[in-house]
Structures are given as C-alpha cells and as structure tokens.
Amino acid sequence: MPEIRDRLFIGGEWTSSRSGQTFGVVDPSTEEVIATVARGTAGDVGDAVGAAREAFNGPWRRLTPEDRSRLLYRVARVLESRLDEFAELETLDTGKPLQHSRSEISGCVRYFDYYAGAADKIHGETIPLGPDYLNYTVREPLGVTAHIVPWNAPLSMVCRSLAPALAAGNTAVVKPAEQTPLTALKFAEVFLELDFPPGIYNVVAGFGEDAGKALSEHPGIDSITFTGSVETGRAVLKAAAEHVKPVVLELGGKSPQIVFADCDLELAANEVAKGLFSNAGQYCDAGSRLLVEDSIRETFLKKVIENARAIKLGAGIDDPDMGPLVSAEHFERVLNYIDTGQKEGAHMLIGGCAEGFEKGYFVAPTIFDKVERGMRIAQEEIFGPVLVTLSFNGEDEAIDIANDSSYGLAAGIFTRNIDRALRFASEIQAGYVMINEYFSGGIGSPFGGYKLSGYGRERGLVALENYTQIKNTVVKISVRACCL
Ligand code: NAD
C-alpha cells in the first residue's frame, strides 16, 4: 500500500488539526478503515487561508510567468513518475478499478502540462482610443482560490481547477471530500519535493458542514470553485454572496443518451453502457437517461443488456470492469432509488444489489425500461449504475424529452444522419454534447452545465478566466512641448 498522509497540509507543513479530531477513511471494496485522518475545522481553514495569502503576496507573485510554467511542468513530470502509486491510493480510497484510477491520474498529469503551457500566454489587449492614449488590459490573478471537491474522481477534480488557478498566479486551499481525502493530501508531497514556496497548495481535509462551510464563508478567499451536488452548491453560493466572491459551480446531471434507429447499433450499445456504467455511474456527466427510438427499442435494449451482463464487478484493486459505490450511505441511497423505480411502476430488466459479495458496497448494472418522464428515477440524479429507458417517436419528441430535465450537463447523440445530429446539438440544453461517442473530448474542451448543472466552465483555455480578473489602464499621452 502507498504511504498514506493523514495530516493536514498547511503552509508547506504537515499538521494535526487544531481540534485534535480525526476521522476514518474506508475502502468501499472491503469496508475496512484504511486511514485515520486529521479532521480540519474552521481554525485550520483560517490557518490555510492565511498561509495561502502570505504565499500569494510573497514569492509566488514575484515569479515570472515563465518560471511558473516551468514549475508546473515539473509537477506534471513528478506525478507522472509516481502514477501507479497515486492510482493505487485512489483505488483504495474510492473503490474504482485500477485502470480507471490510472486514467484519471494521467488526466491530472495532462491538466498540469496543459496549463503549464498556458501560464506565460495569459494576455491582455490594447483598445484603440486614438494617438493621445494608450489603453490596455492585463489579466491579474485573483489571490487565494478555494477548491471544494467531491469524492467521485478525487484528485482529478482537484487538478482540474488547481492547475489553471496556479498557472494564472493564484494560491490555493483545497477541501477534499470526507470520503476520499487521501490523494489530495498525498499530492502535497509533490509540491514539497519540488521546493515550492510554502502556502501555494494547502489541503484541509474534513467534513462539509465544518471545513467546507468555513472555507466557503471565509472572507480571506478570493474565489470558490465548487464541484458537487446542487444542494451544497446553493449553500456555497449563499456563503459566497456574503463577501461577494466569484463562484464556479460544477454540479450534477441527468444526461440523456439519445439513440436514433439509423445509428450503428453495436457502437451505440457499447457507448451507452460505457457512458453510464463507467465508475459505477458515479460521474457527473454519466449518460443516465437512455432515450431510444421506439422502432428499435427491444433490439437495442437486448444489446445494452448483453453489455451490462458482461461487466465484471470486483474490488477496485483487482482491476475489474466496475467497482463498488463509494460509501455505505451512497449505497443505501442508490438502492432506495432502485426500490423507488419499481414502486413507480418502471420495469427493472436487470440489476439491483450485486450478489456474491459479503463485504463492499456493490450494486449490479441496473436497467429500467418503461420509464415515464415524470418518475423520480427519470428526473433525479441517482449517481449509481442505474440506466433508465424512455422511448420516443421522431426528433421532436426526442428533443422534448431530452430537455425535460432540471439539469443540463451533457448529452450523447447516436445517428448516422449528420444534419439531424447537428440540429439536435443545437437544440439540446446542455453544456457538453457528444456525437457517436460518449466521454469524448478532453482537457482542452470546455466543460460545464446549463440549468441546475451549474455555471462557469472548467477545462480548456476558457477556464483561465475563472482565476483571473481584468484590469484596464488608460494612459493620456502628453502632447510634445515643441508642438504646443
Ligand atoms: P456534495 O455536494 O455532498 O459534496 C461536495 C463537497 O462539498 C465535499 O467536499 C463536501 O464535504 C463539501 N460540502 C458539503 N457540505 C458543504 C457546505 N455546507 N459548505 C461547503 N462545502 C460543503 O457532493 P458529493 O456527494 O461529494 O458529489 C456528488 C455530486 O457531485 C453529484 O451531484 C455529481 O454530479 C457532482 N459532480 C459534478 C461534477 C461536474 O463537473 N459538474 C463533477 C463531479 C461531481
């Protein structure tokens, strides 16, 4: 097992929590406690914000963009050289298969490479006012950025916002989810190894109701990037309003995968299964609503069921196709939704609680058919391996059902008709649209939601706007004395 860091990381040092409290971290594959971690509260958050402020006002601010870029490239190289170690820890903490953890940690490396390359290209502009003026803008860092992240892709969610924030010259305080704090803490080793000035990366592990709340309410932060549920997002937004802090909200989803009769059915069936069952349905952009054209419903569902049945469940560390859900609480929540679906009158074709496991929070790939759009399982984010199927007749009905959701994060469209695909892409209310492949795109592609899925965009160059503010300076140029 990789070495576990069980203390907070503040101002470049490992520290116990001020209160002395700790909490247990459980491997969801075995239900065993694998670590006891310092539980940060408001006092620790205050210390971390103070350390981040000092670093921002001091050495970090004086670095040239080129030096910052070089340092961030080095973060990428060190993380890359330790990829297996971080992947193993992520798997133990979340239960996700090793191959998924590896791919997520590779994504973290890519975040640092991508934004390292951008650090010295954050330009302002000049605005013409005629020969008597110089009018220019610069993009300045905000200062201390707060990053509150969920448990479903722990280090990936940290790096997605941390890398652009640091590239733009900010410092950071990270609050990982209480279920999965281990990789965010261990990541501090990289900053120590590279002799980063203390206080640039701070991690306060702890619970939402105290560490998370204290961080979002702290007057000393300059922005919040929040990734998590709608309910918590609202609380964070209210806290930020008190001190008028900018917020990026990356919230939940109930993303449709829309399958037209003219698509490549084999390809679509593979993509639909991948789009929902990857990470046991615990991705915000999981394609959890299958909208299938009526004429192919039965044939298509058979194919998806075949794919779902082929998925091997097991402990993440054994690298199966699908691991357990993240926690006992979440396991109960997902099973409740499965129960609700049956009570609402939908037909469960396969799935439910996985058999053959004495320990661990395993739910089998579950598929519901005959789902009506008003049902709770059609509207609410389950965040588990539960696919709900609705059928449609023709494009108009398809778009109507697809947009009948309070969420608007992602959408997948499967058709061989390019006009239809592009019409659909334009009409769908979602921030991220994928045609004929689910989870396509990458770190350069802006990601974020419409409607209750949040606002602001992560990834891509546009994310740098979340971590900079524009200063406009206008200079009046004096007329030469000889010309007076
Ligand atoms: P959550 O809202 O319960 O928790 C997210 C984070 O907020 C955790 O670190 C938690 O400790 C903290 N928190 C809880 N209460 C808080 C409070 N009052 N003030 C400040 N912080 C608080 O979400 P979760 O269950 O950890 O994650 C699942 C959700 O995240 C799903 O809805 C999923 O769709 C969403 N998600 C969205 C994206 C995206 O990019 N849009 C990515 C991943 C996950």
Side-chain angles (χ1 to χ4, degrees):
M1 154 134 32
E3 190 186 354
I4 285 178
R5 294 293 177 174
D6 55 7
R7 287 189 288 165
L8 314 179
F9 187 71
I10 298 176
E13 289 181 359
W14 301 108
T15 159
S16 305
S17 62
R18 277 184 179 232
S19 69
Q21 290 177 43
T22 56
F23 63 102
V25 177
V26 171
D27 174 351
S29 299
T30 60
E31 300 182 35
E32 276 167 23
V33 175
I34 52 170
T36 303
V37 172
R39 178 173 174 167
T41 53
D44 306 296
V45 165
D47 293 344
V49 172
R53 173 66 55 200
E54 215 173 294
F56 177 71
N57 289 336
W60 194 234
R61 198 161 204 186
R62 288 194 292 274
L63 276 189
T64 64
E66 190 182 330
D67 286 341
R68 223 166 39 231
S69 163
R70 216 173 275 131
L71 263 176
L72 297 183
Y73 274 127
R74 291 174 66 199
V75 171
R77 295 292 72 74
V78 173
L79 186 59
E80 193 169 41
S81 70
R82 298 176 60 183
L83 196 141
D84 285 340
E85 195 188 347
F86 275 86
E88 189 180 337
L89 192 60
E90 199 71 296
T91 282
L92 293 170
D93 208 358
T94 58
K96 69 179 71 202
L98 263 182
Q99 53 182 317
H100 288 214
S101 294
R102 282 202 195 98
S103 143
E104 285 182 14
I105 305 297
S106 297
C108 296
V109 170
R110 174 90 179 105
Y111 278 122
F112 272 85
D113 273 332
Y114 182 89
Y115 290 107
D120 57 355
K121 300 168 193 74
I122 303 174
H123 299 159
E125 53 185 3
T126 54
I127 298 120
L129 285 181
D132 297 343
Y133 293 91
L134 171 63
N135 186 15
Y136 67 92
T137 64
V138 288
R139 299 200 71 97
E140 295 186 336
L142 300 173
V144 177
T145 57
H147 307 253
I148 303 177
V149 298
W151 46 258
N152 67 324
L155 193 60
S156 171
M157 294 297 96
V158 170
C159 292
R160 184 170 77 175
S161 57
L162 178 71
L166 297 188
N170 301 279
T171 56
V173 179
V174 170
K175 209 302 274 170
E178 47 271 45
Q179 297 86 347
T180 57
L182 300 182
T183 47
L185 287 168
K186 194 171 185 63
F187 195 39
E189 289 178 6
V190 175
F191 291 84
L192 275 176
E193 184 179 331
L194 291 172
D195 285 331
F196 265 68
I200 286 165
Y201 176 66
N202 304 275
V203 189
V204 183
F207 282 64
E209 68 256 25
D210 39 41
K213 185 166 180 290
L215 184 56
S216 57
E217 287 174 350
H218 201 289
I221 57 167
D222 296 298
S223 78
I224 308 178
T225 302
F226 173 79
T227 311
S229 63
V230 174
E231 191 190 350
T232 314
R234 278 199 190 98
V236 166
L237 203 50
K238 283 182 190 155
E242 183 61 27
H243 302 290
V244 196
K245 302 299 181 193
V247 180
V248 173
L249 288 180
E250 294 286 2
L251 308 178
K254 189 79 182 175
S255 302
Q257 301 202 66
I258 304 131
V259 179
F260 286 96
D262 67 355
C263 74
D264 176 336
L265 288 191
E266 289 300 329
L267 175 144
N270 284 333
E271 292 299 315
V272 165
K274 177 188 83 181
L276 189 263
F277 298 124
S278 297
N279 204 27
Q282 302 169 115
Y283 281 134
C284 54
D285 50 349
S288 51
R289 278 189 300 152
L290 167 61
L291 275 54
V292 58
E293 195 150 20
D294 222 4
S295 58
I296 55 159
R297 202 185 95 236
E298 278 188 27
T299 326
F300 187 72
L301 270 176
K302 266 192 201 138
K303 289 182 189 295
V304 180
I305 289 172
E306 252 172 56
N307 284 325
R309 285 217 164 104
I311 292 173
K312 287 201 180 60
L313 264 76
I317 205 73
D318 297 332
D319 209 8
D321 300 319
M322 196 169 110
L325 298 182
V326 74
S327 65
E329 190 190 356
H330 191 51
F331 176 68
E332 286 306 321
R333 188 174 170 273
V334 171
L335 290 183
N336 270 335
Y337 269 113
I338 293 177
D339 194 38
T340 302
Q342 289 168 304
K343 286 188 180 138
E344 284 180 310
H347 290 191
M348 191 170 88
L349 301 176
I350 55 165
C353 187
E355 287 169 8
F357 293 94
E358 281 176 17
K359 291 274 177 182
Y361 311 123
F362 293 95
V363 173
T366 301
I367 301 180
F368 276 102
D369 189 18
K370 306 257 161 74
V371 176
E372 301 292 334
R373 41 164 129 180
M375 292 178 181
R376 281 183 60 202
I377 58 164
Q379 290 294 335
E380 296 177 19
E381 184 185 43
I382 299 174
F383 220 52
V386 183
L387 183 69
V388 301
T389 310
L390 299 99
S391 51
F392 65 83
N393 267 311
E395 260 182 61
D396 287 347
E397 195 182 11
I399 194 73
D400 193 38
I401 300 176
N403 284 338
D404 185 11
S405 169
S406 48
Y407 292 105
L409 192 53
I413 302 165
F414 297 91
T415 173
R416 284 192 169 102
N417 179 335
I418 187 67
D419 294 318
R420 166 183 281 162
L422 294 178
R423 264 196 309 275
F424 225 85
S426 130
E427 286 178 30
I428 195 115
Q429 294 157 0
Y432 201 77
V433 183
M434 296 156 280
I435 297 170
N436 291 332
E437 187 184 58
Y438 212 77
F439 295 136
S440 50
I443 278 159
S445 317
F447 183 83
Y450 282 28
K451 304 196 271 188
L452 283 191
S453 294
Y455 53 74
R457 293 293 176 269
E458 292 290 347
R459 310 195 316 200
L461 293 178
V462 73
L464 291 164
E465 291 174 16
N466 300 331
Y467 306 104
T468 53
Q469 53 197 337
I470 291 177
K471 181 179 280 172
N472 194 142
T473 303
V474 189
V475 185
K476 171 77 172 77
I477 303 170
S478 305
V479 180
R480 254 186 297 162
C482 66
C483 305
L484 289 174

